C-alpha cells in the first residue's frame, strides 16, 4: 500500500463513522441517553407509603397480575408539567397508572395534582429517592412499563412525547395484555 | 493511625481546593477509614446527571444521594467491589468511570493499542521507503 493513501483512508473511515452517527441522531437517537440495565429484569423491591392514604403501603408484589405504567414525577419538575396531559390520555388504556412522587416535600404533590389533574390509580411516595435509585432513575420524569409478571419491559427517560405514547407505549401495553 | 488518616483526608481534599468542594460536611462519616474509602469509591462513580464528573465532584442532587448511599453501604459492611456492583446493577457499567474489560468494551480497551501498532507500522514503512525505494535527492552539484 502506498503510504500517501493512509491519511486518506483514515479520513474516509472517520467521515463515514461521523456521518452514520449524525444520521442516527437525526432519526431521533439521543447520544447522551444512558441505556437502562433494568429492561427484562424484575422490578426492584420497594415498600412506599401511598399519598393521601394514611397507613396504606404500596409493595412490589402489588405489581403482579396487571400491566402497570409507572411514572416518576415531582411537583418541582418542569418537564413533568410538559408530559402531564399525555398521562391523562393513558388512563383506561389497559395499564394501571402508578405515580411515584420523587423527592417531594410535604404535601406539595397533593396540591400539584389538584392543579394539574390526577391521572394516577395509585400514587406512592419516594421521599428520599431510594426507590428511584433502585429503578435506575437519574432524573424525573422517567416512566416504566411493567408486565403482569412484574418484569420491566420498557423505560422512557425524560418526558413522554405523543409519538412515544402512540408508537411504543400503547402498542406495548396492548401486547402485554394479550 | 487515625490522626494520620485524618491528615490524609484533609490533604486529599486540599488537592481539590481549586474546585468547588462538593462533599458536604454533613455527608461525611465520622470514621476516617470509612470516609477515605467512600471518597475513593465516589471518585470512580460517574455522576449520571453531569455525565463527565465523578459523584465526588458533582453538585447534582442525585450525586449527593449516591454519595450518601455509598456511605450507608460502607457502614453496613459492604466491600468496595460490592458497592460498585450495587450501583452498576442499577445504572449499568456506564456508572463506572473505568469500564470493565468485556466483549462489548474490547474496542475501547484495545483500540489505543491498535492505533499505536498501526502508527508504528506507518512510521516503519515510511522510513523503509525513504531508505530503499525513493532515491535520495542528490547533491546539487552532481545535477548540473
Amino acid at each position: 500500500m502506498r503510504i500517501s493513501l493512509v491519511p486518506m483512508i483514515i479520513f474516509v473511515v472517520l467521515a463515514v463513522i461521523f456521518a452514520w452517527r449524525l444520521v442516527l441522531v437525526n432519526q431521533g437517537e439521543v447520544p447522551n441517553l444512558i441505556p437502562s440495565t433494568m429492561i427484562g429484569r424484575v422490578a426492584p423491591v420497594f415498600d412506599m407509603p401511598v399519598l393521601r392514604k394514611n397507613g396504606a403501603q404500596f409493595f412490589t408484589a402489588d405489581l403482579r397480575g396487571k400491566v402497570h405504567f409507572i411514572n416518576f414525577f415531582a411537583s418541582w419538575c418542569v418537564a413533568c408539567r410538559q408530559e402531564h396531559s399525555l398521562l391523562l390520555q393513558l388512563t383506561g388504556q389497559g395499564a394501571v397508572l402508578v405515580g411515584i412522587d420523587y423527592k417531594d416535600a410535604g404535601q406539595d404533590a397533593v396540591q400539584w395534582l389538584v392543579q394539574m389533574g390526577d391521572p394516577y390509580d395509585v400514587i406512592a411516595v419516594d421521599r428520599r429517592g431510594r426507590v428511584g435509585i433502585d429503578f435506575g432513575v437519574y432524573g424525573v420524569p422517567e416512566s416504566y412499563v411493567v408486565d403482569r409478571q412484574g418484569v420491566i419491559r420498557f423505560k422512557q427517560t425524560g418526558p413522554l412525547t405523543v409519538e412515544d405514547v402512540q408508537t411504543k407505549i400503547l402498542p406495548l401495553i396492548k401486547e402485554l395484555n394479550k | 493511625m487515625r490522626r494520620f488518616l485524618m491528615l490524609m483526608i484533609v490533604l486529599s481534599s486540599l488537592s481539590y481546593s481549586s474546585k468547588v468542594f462538593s462533599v458536604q460536611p454533613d455527608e461525611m462519616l465520622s470514621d476516617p477509614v470509612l470516609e477515605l474509602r467512600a471518597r475513593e469509591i465516589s471518585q470512580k462513580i460517574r455522576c449520571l446527571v453531569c455525565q463527565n464528573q465523578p459523584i465526588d465532584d458533582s453538585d447534582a442532587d442525585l450525586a449527593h444521594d449516591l454519595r450518601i448511599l455509598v456511605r450507608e453501604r460502607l457502614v453496613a459492611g459492604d466491600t468496595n467491589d460490592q458497592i460498585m456492583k450495587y450501583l452498576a446493577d442499577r445504572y449499568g457499567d456506564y456508572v463506572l468511570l473505568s469500564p470493565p474489560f468485556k466483549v462489548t468494551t474490547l474496542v475501547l480497551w484495545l483500540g489505543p493499542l491498535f492505533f499505536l501498532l498501526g502508527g508504528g507500522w506507518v512510521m516503519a514503512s515510511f522510513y523503509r521507503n525513504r531508505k530503499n525505494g525513493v532515491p535520495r535527492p542528490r547533491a546539487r552539484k552532481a545535477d548540473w
Side-chain angles (χ1 to χ4, degrees):
Chain A
M1 198 184 355
R2 293 249 326 271
I3 272 299
S4 57
L5 278 180
V6 172
M8 179 70 171
I9 291 166
I10 293 173
F11 171 75
V12 171
V13 169
L14 286 177
V16 168
I17 292 172
F18 293 156
W20 171 59
R21 294 294 301 168
L22 280 176
V23 168
L24 284 184
V25 170
N26 202 28
Q27 285 169 354
E29 197 188 276
V30 185
N32 59 351
L33 195 71
I34 302 166
S36 178
T37 52
M38 297 306 289
I39 290 165
R41 283 172 40 188
V42 178
V45 176
F46 57 76
D47 172 8
M48 288 177 279
V50 176
L51 192 75
R52 292 174 304 203
K53 285 186 185 145
N54 258 342
Q57 297 290 114
F58 187 65
F59 304 100
T60 312
D62 295 331
L63 295 175
R64 293 279 161 130
K66 279 184 180 159
V67 178
H68 284 75
F69 183 87
I70 301 180
N71 176 244
F72 283 84
F73 75 99
S75 68
W76 46 262
C77 148
V78 180
C80 299
R81 267 164 208 277
Q82 190 186 323
E83 68 166 13
H84 203 76
S85 61
L86 285 166
L87 288 171
L88 292 163
Q89 284 174 32
L90 276 171
T91 53
Q93 299 284 341
V96 180
L97 246 68
V98 180
I100 298 184
D101 181 24
Y102 180 78
K103 298 189 73 175
D104 242 335
Q107 297 295 300
D108 286 0
V110 176
Q111 262 180 30
W112 192 72
L113 289 166
V114 168
Q115 190 194 334
M116 301 288 295
D118 179 0
Y120 304 109
D121 297 304
V122 191
I123 301 165
V125 182
D126 181 21
R127 190 79 72 197
R128 294 182 64 210
R130 278 305 157 80
V131 178
I133 289 177
D134 283 340
F135 268 88
V137 169
Y138 62 95
V140 275
E142 284 192 15
S143 304
Y144 297 80
V145 177
V146 179
D147 70 14
R148 285 184 285 196
Q149 282 73 46
V151 176
I152 295 172
R153 301 297 290 266
F154 174 83
K155 175 182 178 181
Q156 169 88 17
T157 306
L160 299 165
T161 64
V162 181
E163 206 188 343
D164 294 321
V165 172
Q166 295 301 334
T167 62
K168 294 179 194 160
I169 296 164
L170 286 178
L172 178 64
I173 291 174
K174 211 173 196 178
E175 171 158 351
L176 295 176
N177 270 312
K178 270 181 195 162
Chain B
M1 186 64 188
R2 279 179 84 92
R3 273 204 180 161
F4 172 71
L5 282 166
M6 260 313 183
L7 187 72
M8 292 273 287
I9 290 174
V10 170
L11 285 179
S12 72
S13 49
L14 278 180
S15 66
Y16 288 90
S17 57
S18 59
K19 300 175 196 167
V20 181
F21 195 57
S22 300
V23 182
Q24 302 299 311
D26 61 327
E27 288 176 19
M28 290 187 192
L29 298 171
S30 51
D31 182 340
V33 184
L34 287 186
E35 178 60 24
L36 206 63
R37 275 176 64 200
R39 298 298 305 271
E40 195 185 309
I41 296 168
S42 305
Q43 275 158 26
K44 292 181 188 161
I45 298 293
R46 187 199 295 267
C47 171
L48 295 115
V49 182
C50 348
Q51 298 184 353
N52 278 323
Q53 268 185 317
I55 57 169
D56 198 56
D57 289 349
S58 174
D59 284 321
D61 222 25
L62 181 68
H64 167 83
D65 289 353
L66 290 177
R67 285 197 299 265
I68 302 266
L69 182 83
V70 164
R71 283 165 174 80
E72 278 182 18
R73 308 228 41 112
L74 278 171
V75 171
D78 277 14
T79 64
N80 292 16
D81 285 347
Q82 277 170 331
I83 295 170
M84 307 280 270
K85 189 181 174 301
Y86 179 95
L87 289 167
D89 269 352
R90 283 154 182 78
Y91 289 105
D93 290 339
Y94 189 85
V95 81
L96 309 172
L97 275 170
S98 144
F101 192 81
K102 278 183 180 178
V103 177
T104 47
T105 58
L106 271 185
V107 176
L108 190 66
W109 281 102
L110 299 182
L113 186 69
F114 170 81
F115 280 109
L116 187 71
L117 291 177
W121 175 76
V122 168
M123 266 174 66
S125 25
F126 176 76
Y127 283 110
R128 206 180 310 125
N129 276 357
R130 218 165 62 156
K131 237 188 230 164
N132 312 327
V134 187
R136 279 195 199 159
R138 298 210 180 125
R140 282 194 153 185
K141 261 185 194 163
D143 274 355
W144 284 106

